[in-house]
């Protein structure tokens, strides 16, 4: 577990209890970790949507989504399978453009600009909004090349070695791979591969990192490494994470969005509030496992 | 089912069935063995006649001799023929590899499913055209067209023949490369696009490297095809052995020399006749080595992606 959190200035203070939370083992059973709420909550919105509808052909996958995702915090998206979490995530960096049948209506703003305006270049947008996928997908290249890939295509080639090292350090992978940077990324274990993918995403210094169930293909040890990492990442980046694991959402997120079947965003609030005192009965049923 | 006696219907026929299964097995084995036997016999024939030849002409004179004039001067230096073959192969590769990989990239990465379903079979038809037609086309249309463009070509020339061979093997390169590229998992493309790569960057920086072993094998297979090609070169490039080939002049490749030998000395028996087998075995060795290389590369890099 990293100590970096301790030294980070926290405007809402009470950092004492925070340190405790970071250094004590993560309680899986204790659903809400109230100390997480001490991250700055007053921060500005970086991604917001209004009345966002998404269709695949004739079927509607998301209905009228309104959400305001705060900067430099972790926002978790939970909900039953097929409710549209991945779809929403892919709307943010326009990865849905790659799906022919997908149609989007409404507004989705990244820093005050609607990303679906006709003058937006999705390639440039994706350079500022990184993505980590459900199962690790390193390129069949060396570890170094994997991390350097984004830097190269974006022409940020000065000080590349340093940037690669920094990214691998931020992804808590440097110590494990520093002596084997020229080995294939595919030779790493699953958890290492996923951290490599995170390093690849953060190497280009994006503003937002989207993660679609980043730990679902990982064992518990690797999962907790990735979770620790996500908490650290929120120091510098806005993180939006889809997860099926409610404890995980409770542990690592500041805000939680609950989608329910039919593609509605039923509740969106501080994580503690959503888990302890949800407004909607349906959300409560979902969280307590009465409904899936 | 509704038999009166109570012998179940799965009893008692195993003898007949297994005899039939056995005979089918042997029949199938015979078919498989036939092709192996024929191949072995061909190689053996080549080898025996080649050995006879090397008893008359020293291997040194054959492999390092720089003059090929079997009937007039009894000069059996194979170097000009090998030079001609390599020249034509390299030239045709210069056409087939870029065009083949480009069309594979288009088909695999850019084309809609509908376009692909039209273009892919169309390309494969190219592979079904008899090569003598390509040769004729090169001689009668391509050479005049290139001359019209201002190239100083002789009637028989290496350039037209090479271009035609290149065109002939494009479908091989594109079809096999496209298979290799389509097999690259989509998750890698997603990773590329997610990093803000353009379609071209994903194609050239992610998909092609990940499919490199398959693409490389397609080159080797296509090139062995080019090396062994006979009709196009005989018809369009002529039969003039040259130590230093020129694209604008006629030349003679190994297969063309074999055709020439077999047509001049149909009765057999002379040293020149046996030289044909020496060339044949040399050609066989070259293509065999290339196929080995392709198998090696394919197996070595097979699991580039999971
Ligand atoms: N490429 C696609 N083409 C057609 N329909 C799709 C496509 N992707 C998703 N859908 C549909 O859209 C709906 C939402 O899918 P989505 O993948 O966003 O759900 P999810 O919440 O991420 O589910 P999971 O938790 O299983 O990953 C589903 O009904 C799904 O069938
Ligand atoms: Mg999903």
């Amino acid at each position: 577990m990293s100590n970096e959190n301790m030294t980070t200035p926290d405007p809402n203070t009470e950092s004492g209890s925070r340190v405790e939370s970071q250094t004590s083992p993560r309680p899986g059973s204790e659903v809400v970790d109230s100390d997480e709420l001490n991250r700055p909550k007053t921060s500005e919105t970086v991604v917001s949507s209004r009345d966002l509808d998404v269709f695949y052909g004739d079927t509607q996958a998301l209905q009228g989504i309104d959400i305001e995702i705060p900067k430099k915090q972790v926002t978790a998206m939970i909900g039953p399978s097929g409710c549209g979490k991945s779809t929403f995530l892919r709307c943010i960096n326009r990865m849905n453009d790659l799906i022919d049948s997908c149609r989007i209506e409404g507004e989705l703003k990244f820093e005050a600009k609607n990303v679906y305006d006709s003058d937006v270049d999705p390639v440039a947008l994706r350079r500022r909004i990184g993505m980590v996928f459900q199962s690790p997908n390193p390129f069949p290249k060396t570890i170094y090349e994997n991390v350097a890939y984004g830097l190269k295509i974006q022409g940020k080639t000065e000080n590349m070695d340093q940037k690669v090292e920094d990214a691998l350090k931020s992804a808590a992978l440097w110590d494990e791979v520093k002596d084997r940077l020229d080995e294939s990324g595919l030779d790493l274990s699953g958890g290492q591969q996923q951290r490599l993918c995170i390093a690849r995403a953060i190497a280009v210094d994006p503003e937002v990192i989207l993660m679609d169930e980043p730990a679902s293909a990982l064992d518990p040890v690797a999962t907790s490494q990735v979770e620790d990492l996500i908490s650290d990442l929120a120091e510098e980046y806005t993180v939006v994470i889809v997860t099926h694991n409610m404890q995980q959402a409770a542990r690592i997120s500041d805000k939680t969005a609950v989608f329910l079947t039919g593609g509605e965003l039923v509740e969106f609030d501080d994580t503690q509030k959503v888990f302890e005192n949800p407004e909607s009965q349906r959300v409560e049923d979902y969280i307590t496992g009465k409904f899936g | 089912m509704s038999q009166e006696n109570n012998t179940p219907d799965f009893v008692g026929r195993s003898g007949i069935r297994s005899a039939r299964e056995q005979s089918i097995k042997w029949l199938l084995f015979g078919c498989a063995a036939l092709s192996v036997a024929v191949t072995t016999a061909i190689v053996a024939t080549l080898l025996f006649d080649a050995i006879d030849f090397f008893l008359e002409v020293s291997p040194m004179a054959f492999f390092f001799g720089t003059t090929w004039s079997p009937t007039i001067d009894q000069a059996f230096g194979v170097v000009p023929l090998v030079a001609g073959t390599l020249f034509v192969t390299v030239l045709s590769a210069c056409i087939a590899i870029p065009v083949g990989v480009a069309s594979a990239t288009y088909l695999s990465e850019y084309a809609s499913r509908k376009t692909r379903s039209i273009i892919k079979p169309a390309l494969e038809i190219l592979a079904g055209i008899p090569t003598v037609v390509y040769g004729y086309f090169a001689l009668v249309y391509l050479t005049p067209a290139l001359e019209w463009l201002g190239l100083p070509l002789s009637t028989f020339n290496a350039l037209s023949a090479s271009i035609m061979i290149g065109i002939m093997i494009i479908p091989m390169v594109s079809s096999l490369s496209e298979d290799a590229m389509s097999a690259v998992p989509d998750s890698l493309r997603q990773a590329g696009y997610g990093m803000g790569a353009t379609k071209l960057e994903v194609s050239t920086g992610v998909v092609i490297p990940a499919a490199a072993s398959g693409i490389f094998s397609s080159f080797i297979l296509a090139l062995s095809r080019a090396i062994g090609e006979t009709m196009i070169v005989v018809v369009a490039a002529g039969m003039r052995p040259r130590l230093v080939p020129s694209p604008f002049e006629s030349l003679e490749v190994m297969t063309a020399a074999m055709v020439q030998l077999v047509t001049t000395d149909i009765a057999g028996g002379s040293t020149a006749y046996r030289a044909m087998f020496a060339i044949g075995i040399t050609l066989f060795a070259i293509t065999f080595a290339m196929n080995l290389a392709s198998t090696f590369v394919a197996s070595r890099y097979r699991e580039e992606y999971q």
Side-chain angles (χ1 to χ4, degrees):
Chain A
M1 239 170 263
S2 162
N3 295 325
E4 278 168 45
N5 285 330
M6 287 193 269
T7 55
T8 309
D10 187 339
N12 287 9
T13 58
E14 285 185 336
S15 55
S17 61
R18 176 147 188 190
V19 168
E20 204 178 283
S21 90
Q22 291 294 332
T23 47
S24 61
R26 285 173 188 278
S29 51
E30 183 193 313
V31 171
V32 174
D33 186 346
S34 59
D35 302 312
E36 295 290 343
L37 295 176
N38 294 320
R39 278 201 197 113
K41 282 193 293 186
T42 50
S43 78
E44 57 199 292
T45 299
V46 61
V47 171
S48 63
S49 76
R50 285 198 46 157
D51 245 334
L52 187 79
D53 293 324
V54 180
F55 303 84
Y56 291 108
D58 292 331
T59 44
Q60 188 160 6
L62 286 176
Q63 304 192 18
I65 305 298
D66 291 308
I67 198 169
E68 293 190 343
I69 293 170
K71 199 167 191 164
K72 297 198 179 180
Q73 295 194 25
V74 178
T75 300
M77 314 225 144
I78 60 174
S81 188
C83 66
K85 307 176 297 288
S86 302
T87 300
F88 182 74
L89 209 62
R90 286 198 304 262
C91 284
I92 300 176
N93 65 346
R94 287 189 59 171
M95 285 294 273
N96 277 336
D97 289 15
L98 304 177
I99 301 170
D100 288 334
S101 65
C102 187
R103 198 176 86 244
I104 288 151
E105 284 170 10
E107 183 184 271
L108 193 146
K109 280 187 173 166
F110 171 55
E111 293 185 337
K113 176 72 182 164
N114 184 356
V115 302
Y116 287 96
D117 280 351
S118 56
D119 57 348
V120 169
D121 173 13
V123 167
L125 179 75
R126 292 183 200 129
R127 293 178 177 192
R128 293 177 61 187
I129 305 182
M131 192 161 201
V132 176
F133 297 83
Q134 177 163 359
S135 38
N137 55 357
F139 298 124
K141 301 174 189 278
T142 65
I143 292 169
Y144 182 94
E145 290 287 325
N146 262 284
V147 182
Y149 179 80
L151 296 168
K152 279 186 184 159
I153 61 171
Q154 301 191 16
K156 301 175 177 172
T157 44
E158 74 287 352
N159 289 330
M160 198 140 79
D161 292 352
Q162 188 59 44
K163 286 177 185 163
V164 168
E165 181 177 335
D166 290 347
L168 284 167
K169 278 180 175 157
S170 310
L173 189 61
W174 175 250
D175 290 334
E176 289 156 72
V177 302
K178 61 172 183 261
D179 300 321
R180 46 195 283 217
L181 291 176
D182 53 355
E183 281 176 33
S184 168
L186 293 173
D187 292 343
L188 298 174
S189 73
Q192 289 174 324
Q193 287 189 7
Q194 193 61 303
R195 278 178 285 148
L196 179 64
C197 292
I198 293 173
R200 179 174 68 188
I202 59 185
V204 293
D205 207 22
E207 280 134 83
V208 180
I209 300 175
L210 310 175
M211 299 185 167
D212 194 348
E213 303 184 41
S216 67
L218 305 182
D219 67 27
V221 174
T223 299
S224 87
Q225 286 169 331
V226 169
E227 281 182 13
D228 292 344
L229 180 56
I230 291 167
S231 302
D232 294 347
L233 290 179
E235 306 287 330
E236 270 187 79
Y237 306 99
T238 305
V239 178
V240 184
I241 176 172
V242 171
T243 175
H244 270 287
N245 178 333
M246 281 188 256
Q247 278 84 21
Q248 186 175 67
R251 278 195 297 269
I252 63 178
S253 71
D254 303 283
K255 294 256 184 192
T256 297
V258 186
F259 290 76
L260 289 180
T261 310
E264 297 168 72
L265 174 59
V266 181
E267 192 144 345
F268 175 58
D269 213 325
D270 291 341
T271 295
Q272 185 181 25
K273 170 99 177 16
V274 170
F275 279 91
E276 284 181 351
N277 189 17
E279 304 220 324
S280 145
Q281 185 61 39
R282 288 164 69 201
V283 170
E284 183 163 353
D285 289 349
Y286 174 66
I287 287 171
T288 54
K290 285 187 202 147
F291 155 70
Chain B
M1 295 293 164
S2 57
Q3 276 168 323
E4 287 301 297
N5 64 11
N6 49 7
T7 314
D9 62 357
F10 52 84
V11 168
R13 299 190 7 216
S14 64
I16 307 167
R17 177 155 301 141
S18 72
R20 202 168 61 200
E21 291 287 325
Q22 282 297 317
S23 52
I24 287 175
K25 182 181 142 191
W26 283 108
L27 185 72
L28 297 178
F29 171 78
C31 294
L34 183 69
S35 62
V36 176
V38 170
T39 314
T40 318
I42 291 176
V43 176
T45 320
L46 274 179
L47 205 59
F48 290 138
D49 283 299
I51 289 171
D52 280 349
F53 171 79
F54 286 124
L55 293 177
E56 293 164 44
V57 177
S58 83
M60 279 299 281
F62 179 74
F63 288 114
F64 298 101
T66 53
T67 310
W68 178 258
S69 176
T71 38
I72 303 166
D73 306 322
Q74 296 286 302
F76 295 100
V78 80
V79 175
L81 303 180
V82 174
T85 292
L86 292 184
F87 187 75
V88 168
T89 305
V90 169
L91 220 55
S92 59
C94 292
I95 308 266
I97 287 178
V99 179
V101 172
S103 38
T105 309
Y106 172 74
L107 287 174
S108 152
E109 305 301 308
Y110 287 80
S112 68
R113 193 166 301 146
K114 185 153 174 247
T115 324
R116 179 164 46 225
S117 72
I118 297 168
I119 295 191
K120 214 180 171 196
L123 262 177
E124 275 153 15
I125 287 176
L126 275 182
I129 299 175
T131 56
V132 66
V133 175
Y134 283 105
Y136 173 79
F137 191 85
L139 181 67
V140 177
Y141 296 104
L142 186 57
T143 298
L146 293 173
E147 275 176 328
W148 183 80
L149 286 177
L151 295 178
L153 296 180
S154 6
T155 312
F156 297 106
N157 62 82
L159 186 63
S160 296
S162 304
I163 292 177
M164 261 327 171
I165 294 180
I167 292 173
M168 179 193 75
I169 60 178
I170 285 173
M172 224 167 164
V173 175
S174 72
S175 164
L176 295 173
S177 299
E178 201 255 340
D179 292 344
M181 290 167 70
S182 305
V184 172
D186 231 19
S187 65
L188 292 184
R189 294 187 184 86
Q190 301 255 340
Y193 287 121
M195 295 299 301
T198 61
K199 193 157 210 151
L200 183 65
E201 284 163 345
V202 169
S203 305
T204 57
V206 177
V207 178
I208 291 181
S213 71
I215 294 175
F216 186 74
S217 314
S218 85
F219 294 168
I220 304 260
L221 283 177
L223 291 191
S224 356
R225 184 86 170 69
I227 287 181
E229 175 47 35
T230 311
M231 284 320 291
I232 296 179
V233 265
V234 168
V235 174
M239 299 187 172
R240 277 276 306 275
R242 265 175 223 277
L243 193 56
V244 183
S246 146
F248 306 122
E249 305 285 340
S250 82
L251 50 63
E252 181 159 45
V253 301
M254 296 164 81
T255 50
M258 292 170 72
V259 170
Q260 198 173 25
L261 289 172
V262 83
T263 48
T264 48
D265 187 3
I266 201 83
S270 69
T271 311
Y273 175 80
R274 279 187 290 278
M276 187 176 81
F277 296 95
I279 302 175
I281 202 88
T282 313
L283 199 55
F284 174 76
I286 294 175
T287 44
F288 187 70
M290 287 179 70
N291 285 339
L292 275 188
S294 128
T295 317
F296 173 75
V297 170
S299 67
R300 174 112 202 281
Y301 297 103
R302 176 154 304 150
E303 287 174 345
E304 267 270 52
Y305 45 81
Q306 292 140 329

